Amino acid sequence: MPNALLEMRGITKVYPNGVVANKDVEFTLTEGEIHAIAGENGAGKSTLMKIMFGMEEPSDGEIYIRGEKVKLQSPQDAIDRGIGMVHQHFMLVPSFTVAENMVLGMEPRKAIGFDYSEAVRLTEETARKYNLAVNAKAKVEDLTVGMKQKVEILKALVRGAKILILDEPTAVLTPQETQELFHELKQLKQQGHTIVFISHKLKEVKAICDRITIMRGGRSEGVFQTSEVTEQEISRLMVGRDVVLKYDKDNTPQGEPILTVDQLGVTDSQGKAHLSEISFSVRAGQIVGIAGVEGNGQTELIEALTGGLHGVSASGAVSVRGTDIRESDILGIRSLGVSYIPEDRMRQGAAGDASIADNLISTQYRSKELNKGPFFKGSKIAALTASLVEEFKVRCSGPQQPIGMLSGGNMQKVVVARECSTSPQLLIAEQPTRGVDIGAAQFIHHKLLELRSNNCAIVLVSADLNEILELSDTLLVMYEGQIVAYFDKPSEVSEEELGLYMLGIHRQDKEQTGRAVNHV
């Protein structure tokens, strides 16, 4: 292609186990554009970007930068060629300052030591140059999610990146932070930078991107001007059918309270309060959504509900079906009919080296249906796992395939299948569709609504505001460890209004939230 900044020609990637991630993919970037890559999980877009950033080598195909054929055998090769990548999970050292993170691997020296003042100067100079305001001396652990993302972008820019790969950059941002990011990306584009924007949020793709490459089954389905295709057309090309994330929930009467949280407080060993006077309940057949910017107490709340609080002081009460669970272990909590879809499927949700089958039965292998004394019932396990793989549409070679070989979305389906298949009375769903494509998200949403119809009580914690507004019967907003807003008709709340409460700009008074919580 004439005037192409970067070209990937005939890219094929076949892994040693025979999985074909990319097949003859053509991808082209032109200078100064924002180019989206969209596709289902397992479509091959992540592998393609890893190849562009030197994290993977293609089995076949060629890469050209400004017409010159190049070999990218490591991320450093890509950085040397002006390519930077901002990962979905930030690669920052929390205890370091912004300046210290900025120069990791390229530390300025003074005599025989680290020149911190030069690191600060370089950070401030780069921030001014790109209009990305950051506090160079602030510790990363004290920054907001949006500010951490700015640091990651600056880290790539200070290393000379002219091409920026952004992986799900808005996954944890409020609408206000997203708009700020878009303003900054447009400024970078005006300065001549080229941006690859990987996202499942088609509304945002339409708002910020010039062109879009759609991938499906490891191949490119075509390249389009975003102004010339609708969201429905994009989703149809991605998944092969129409996808609409709007739901008509049935009016199943809500039952008795299953989960009751009363005046819950959590303080860490340094005396910092993470939760203060949290009170709410969740009834059978009810979805209570919890919204909030990450780091405002949601993690500690989930830990209190799932037996994960360690090294902290807790007050108040948390009960499931009348049983206080604050002193219970995970097994004891699960015995009360509690299931849990964790936020981090890699660290908490799955054993990566184990098979899909082993992961699917990991919470129920003690049951009499699956074992007899010291022996497992192999035929029963095989039938159950094969049935779940089929029901939840997990793309794999079979239940014995290691779960670590699956795409993120298919791994998430395994976790959701395991947690939804035991007829739970209470489901804690923490970011259940983070990093999954639009088709898989719709499938998971239907499963949650199916559980709701079967009188399961559900706590839904999500940074996806469309998800939480569409699915929730009742919505709570957390800010700085407290419930600052309550809505009994979430579908009538706009994402912009919700964002103002999440950022602490708006706040209902305690009398409002107190009265409302009593009626949850």
Side-chain angles (χ1 to χ4, degrees), residues 206-270:
K206 290 278 291 174
I208 189 69
C209 297
D210 302 299
R211 293 195 299 157
I212 179 171
T213 293
I214 300 173
M215 296 190 67
R216 186 177 173 197
R219 298 175 182 268
S220 171
E221 292 290 306
V223 184
F224 306 89
Q225 297 291 327
T226 52
S227 59
E228 296 175 0
V229 286
T230 65
E231 291 179 41
Q232 289 73 26
E233 288 168 334
I234 295 170
S235 64
R236 194 181 306 124
L237 286 164
M238 284 170 53
V239 303
R241 57 181 170 80
D242 289 323
V243 179
V244 181
L245 298 183
K246 294 282 184 182
Y247 305 103
D248 293 321
K249 301 195 293 283
D250 61 40
N251 293 317
T252 304
Q254 294 170 4
E256 63 180 2
I258 301 298
L259 170 69
T260 302
V261 180
D262 185 24
Q263 296 292 303
L264 177 65
V266 171
T267 305
D268 65 23
S269 57
Q270 281 75 46

Side-chain angles (χ1 to χ4, degrees), residues 7-268:
E7 289 182 274
M8 303 178 79
R9 302 177 187 172
I11 297 296
T12 295
K13 178 64 180 181
V14 183
Y15 286 100
N17 63 355
V19 172
V20 180
N22 292 139
K23 181 65 175 175
D24 295 325
V25 176
E26 304 286 326
F27 179 75
T28 303
L29 285 175
T30 58
E31 195 158 8
E33 73 168 335
I34 301 179
H35 193 127
I37 298 183
E40 288 187 281
N41 288 98
K45 58 187 186 298
S46 293
T47 300
L48 189 67
M49 290 304 98
K50 287 178 181 178
I51 291 171
M52 184 189 294
F53 192 56
M55 297 171 69
E56 299 271 7
E57 289 191 58
S59 306
D60 197 10
E62 300 170 333
I63 301 174
Y64 293 82
I65 297 178
R66 298 190 187 280
E68 178 190 351
K69 185 177 177 180
V70 298
K71 248 194 151 176
L72 304 176
Q73 296 176 298
S74 70
Q76 189 59 53
D77 286 346
I79 292 167
D80 291 343
R81 294 281 184 172
I83 302 171
M85 187 167 184
V86 176
H87 299 269
Q88 184 178 349
H89 300 288
F90 300 146
M91 314 289 279
L92 300 171
V93 181
S95 59
F96 283 12
T97 66
V98 169
E100 288 167 336
N101 272 279
M102 194 70 61
V103 299
L104 275 176
M106 48 176 278
E107 295 87 350
R109 312 300 297 180
K110 187 174 184 179
I112 60 171
F114 169 53
D115 191 345
Y116 181 65
S117 61
E118 175 60 17
V120 171
R121 187 201 66 77
L122 180 63
T123 300
E124 292 174 342
E125 179 183 271
T126 307
R128 283 194 301 271
K129 179 179 178 180
Y130 295 107
N131 297 309
L132 291 167
V134 296
N135 180 354
K137 297 180 181 179
K139 280 194 174 183
V140 163
E141 62 192 3
D142 296 327
L143 300 182
T144 64
V145 174
M147 194 60 69
K148 289 176 185 176
Q149 190 170 68
K150 286 186 185 182
V151 176
E152 285 280 28
I153 292 172
L154 282 170
K155 266 181 64 181
L157 293 172
V158 81
R159 286 161 175 76
K162 298 298 289 183
I163 298 172
L164 271 177
I165 305 169
L166 304 182
D167 187 7
E168 296 287 346
T170 65
V172 294
L173 302 184
T174 65
Q176 290 79 5
E177 290 172 322
T178 296
Q179 288 306 310
E180 184 178 353
L181 173 66
F182 284 3
H183 175 70
E184 292 159 352
L185 294 183
K186 287 174 181 176
Q187 285 187 322
L188 287 173
K189 174 184 168 181
Q190 289 169 0
Q191 291 176 300
H193 288 79
T194 301
I195 297 161
V196 181
F197 189 90
I198 306 171
S199 180
H200 294 117
K201 298 182 179 181
L202 302 188
K203 180 180 177 182
E204 294 178 0
V205 166
K206 290 278 291 174
I208 189 69
C209 297
D210 302 299
R211 293 195 299 157
I212 179 171
T213 293
I214 300 173
M215 296 190 67
R216 186 177 173 197
R219 298 175 182 268
S220 171
E221 292 290 306
V223 184
F224 306 89
Q225 297 291 327
T226 52
S227 59
E228 296 175 0
V229 286
T230 65
E231 291 179 41
Q232 289 73 26
E233 288 168 334
I234 295 170
S235 64
R236 194 181 306 124
L237 286 164
M238 284 170 53
V239 303
R241 57 181 170 80
D242 289 323
V243 179
V244 181
L245 298 183
K246 294 282 184 182
Y247 305 103
D248 293 321
K249 301 195 293 283
D250 61 40
N251 293 317
T252 304
Q254 294 170 4
E256 63 180 2
I258 301 298
L259 170 69
T260 302
V261 180
D262 185 24
Q263 296 292 303
L264 177 65
V266 171
T267 305
D268 65 23

